[in-house]
Amino acid sequence: MTAAVQRREGFASRLGVLTATLGSAVGLGNIWKFPYMTGDGGGAAFLLIYLLATLLVGLPIMIGEIMLGRSARSNAVGTWKRLAPGSHWYLVGAAGVLAAFLIMAFYTDVVGWVFTFIVKAASGELNAVDPKVGEAAFGAMVSNPWHSLFWQWGVLILVGSILLGGVAKGIEKTTKILMPVLFIMLLAVCVRSLMLPGAGEGLSFLFKPDFSKVTVDVVLNAMGLAFFKLSIGMGTMMTYGSYFRDDADIPFVTARVMLADLLVSLLAGIAIFPAVFSYGFTPAAGPGLLFMTMPAVFSSLPFGQFFMTMFFLLTGVATIGAMLSLFEVPVALFAGSGLLGRKPAVIVTTIALAVFGVPATLSFSTMADVTLFGKNAFDLYDFLSSNVILPVGGICICLYTGWIWGRERAQEALSNAGTLANAALVRVWHPLVCFVTPLLVVLVLLRGLKVF
Ligand code: PHE
């Protein structure tokens, strides 16, 4: 180990490894995307496909990605350069950094909406059983360019200032507080939702499959969501893996994060669908489900304003850990290049993200007519990252870990040099990353992109 490797900061405790990684996974993917995609994709049918994608695609890649990061102890690009010097594998990391920018651009925009809605909900402005009120509030918010930019930049400054604290005192400390808070608030909203008359209909929507709604696009979306939700394929988990302690049990941490992340998604579904059905609203409301339908749903129930505020607040809480990890990808890259210290790297990244985010944010106002392939910047950033770059990055991670590293080297890394007895697990993981996972991703990707 070189001196530079030893001096590199990392997560200080085992709990911190878990909360930071879970913090990255949990976010808008669980509380905004998962419910509206489930609503559009036939409820339980979508859930089932999503589960398969998580187990067969998400989990194996996440294990491989964290393993590579910890082995190299470097950032998204540096990891490849260190492990495969003189080759082109580092381009996978470079694409990942681009994905971090694309995702942050639209992510911070949506988080800006969430923060605005916390204020609006608390002030009572959204108290109306007519969904038109939520619709009007949402429309007025997104069509005002300065308002949207103001909140987006505010969000970036908030996340940037946490990152100034560093990996252990910034990321780890924050997620250790936020994750339990999130679970408690989410449980409270779920209990409220389940106590409503007619809650059963919402539950059966979520747990009884309707396969007639499943199309190729639904399958591609479910897979894209598995990548997005587990923050894989783009170097986030590689960067976090580089902060993992030497004694961390990678497969075990990964499995726990995946299960807890799934639990948060299901709880978000339980918080939303019973209430939606109970008051006769439609589950297939698309990306506006959270902002247009939910205020009307909450306004219909007793203590609605309180629960509505809590709901948007918990959504805001959930997004912080995810944004920290997205932001950390370029920060670690710039700081690791040796050109900038960590603090200047955070400042440069904040400014770059603020500029990059403008087209996504203005997609609903000034730049609504600027489209490429029929998509505005907001949709294009989302599609390109979740449905293209992350899956391609995932395939590369599989091929590299499965075929180039091979089982023995992976076994050595995943067992912490023989300290953990997980050979059987590695024997299952290895054929998955060699054959099953990349093949599934290639098929879904090509079909989704209408190649065949
Ligand atoms: N997993 C996060 C979420 O569900 C989003 C994310 C994607 C974070 C990619 C990091 C990297 O909201």
Side-chain angles (χ1 to χ4, degrees):
M1 246 188 225
T2 65
V5 172
Q6 275 169 351
R7 254 191 282 114
R8 209 163 168 273
E9 208 198 342
F11 299 133
S13 66
R14 279 181 195 220
L15 181 64
V17 167
L18 189 70
T19 56
T21 313
L22 181 60
S24 168
V26 165
L28 288 176
N30 308 59
I31 298 171
W32 171 62
K33 277 191 176 211
F34 175 80
Y36 87 70
M37 286 186 170
T38 309
D40 288 344
F46 180 85
L47 182 61
L48 214 67
I49 298 171
Y50 171 74
L51 264 181
L52 281 178
T54 303
L55 287 177
L56 296 176
V57 175
L59 211 53
I61 295 178
M62 194 169 167
I63 293 178
E65 188 174 336
I66 295 179
M67 173 181 84
L68 294 182
R70 190 179 65 176
S71 302
R73 294 245 176 258
S74 186
N75 54 65
V77 176
T79 292
W80 292 108
K81 287 205 164 150
R82 207 166 265 176
L83 296 177
S87 69
H88 290 297
W89 285 100
Y90 74 91
L91 291 173
V92 180
V97 178
L98 173 67
F101 273 91
L102 293 171
I103 296 178
M104 270 306 260
F106 74 85
Y107 207 94
T108 46
D109 188 24
V110 180
V111 177
W113 304 345
V114 173
F115 284 9
T116 311
F117 265 53
I118 298 174
V119 178
K120 283 188 193 293
S123 73
E125 198 187 319
L126 299 173
N127 289 349
V129 285
D130 185 352
K132 293 226 164 56
V133 173
E135 252 167 62
F138 183 71
M141 172 179 74
V142 298
S143 61
N144 181 336
W146 286 112
H147 176 279
S148 306
L149 288 175
F150 170 83
W151 279 97
Q152 181 175 38
W153 292 342
V155 169
L156 282 170
I157 292 171
L158 171 75
V159 180
S161 35
I162 299 177
L163 283 178
L164 284 178
V167 176
K169 293 215 178 76
I171 301 175
E172 182 175 347
K173 207 168 134 206
T174 309
T175 55
K176 264 189 188 165
I177 302 168
L178 293 184
M179 284 298 112
V181 171
L182 169 69
F183 268 99
I184 294 169
M185 290 205 282
L186 194 52
L187 278 176
V189 181
C190 279
V191 170
R192 169 72 276 194
S193 177
L194 286 174
M195 275 163 30
L196 294 172
E201 206 187 328
L203 285 184
S204 71
F205 173 76
L206 191 56
F207 294 111
K208 258 202 217 137
D210 167 10
F211 286 105
S212 67
K213 293 249 175 50
V214 179
T215 61
V216 175
D217 281 343
V218 168
V219 178
L220 179 68
N221 281 340
M223 193 182 77
L225 182 66
F227 276 95
F228 183 86
K229 263 170 83 318
L230 295 176
S231 321
I232 51 172
M234 53 163 286
T236 306
M237 285 301 164
M238 205 170 258
T239 308
Y240 270 25
S242 76
Y243 302 143
F244 266 43
R245 290 160 50 111
D246 285 323
D247 64 357
D249 182 342
I250 295 176
F252 186 58
V253 171
T254 308
R256 283 212 287 184
V257 166
M258 178 281 226
L259 285 174
D261 176 77
L262 185 67
L263 182 67
V264 173
S265 305
L266 289 176
L267 288 177
I270 293 172
I272 291 176
F273 291 117
V276 167
F277 277 90
S278 178
Y279 290 98
F281 292 104
T282 155
L289 177 70
L290 207 62
F291 300 97
M292 304 197 224
T293 314
M294 289 318 281
V297 171
F298 280 113
S299 301
S300 316
L301 46 111
F303 306 108
Q305 186 181 345
F306 173 77
F307 283 102
M308 188 192 323
T309 312
M310 180 136 100
F311 180 74
F312 284 112
L313 200 62
L314 78 85
T315 309
V317 165
T319 64
I320 306 284
M323 289 192 293
L324 287 172
S325 70
L326 281 160
F327 212 124
E328 182 64 20
V329 173
V331 168
L333 175 70
F334 295 149
S337 69
L339 293 174
L340 297 173
R342 184 172 172 98
K343 287 194 174 136
V346 171
I347 295 167
V348 168
T349 307
T350 310
I351 297 171
L353 285 170
V355 174
F356 210 77
V358 171
T361 305
L362 299 188
S363 292
F364 302 92
S365 51
T366 344
M367 291 177 64
D369 298 330
V370 186
T371 57
L372 196 66
F373 309 119
K375 291 186 190 314
N376 60 26
F378 184 98
D379 292 334
L380 192 69
Y381 284 10
D382 187 5
F383 182 83
L384 270 182
S385 51
S386 297
N387 291 4
V388 183
I389 303 183
L390 271 49
V392 172
I395 296 173
C396 295
I397 291 169
C398 286
L399 297 181
Y400 184 79
T401 51
W403 294 97
I404 299 190
W405 260 37
R407 188 159 68 87
E408 266 160 42
R409 192 163 169 200
Q411 166 70 52
E412 173 80 6
L414 290 175
S415 67
N416 300 347
T419 344
L420 303 169
N422 53 11
L425 196 135
V426 179
R427 263 200 295 277
V428 177
W429 171 84
H430 188 248
L432 280 177
V433 287
C434 281
F435 306 103
V436 183
T437 310
L439 206 66
L440 278 176
V441 181
V442 167
L443 284 179
V444 176
L445 199 62
L446 294 183
R447 187 76 178 87
L449 298 175
K450 320 243 178 328
V451 177
F452 66 88

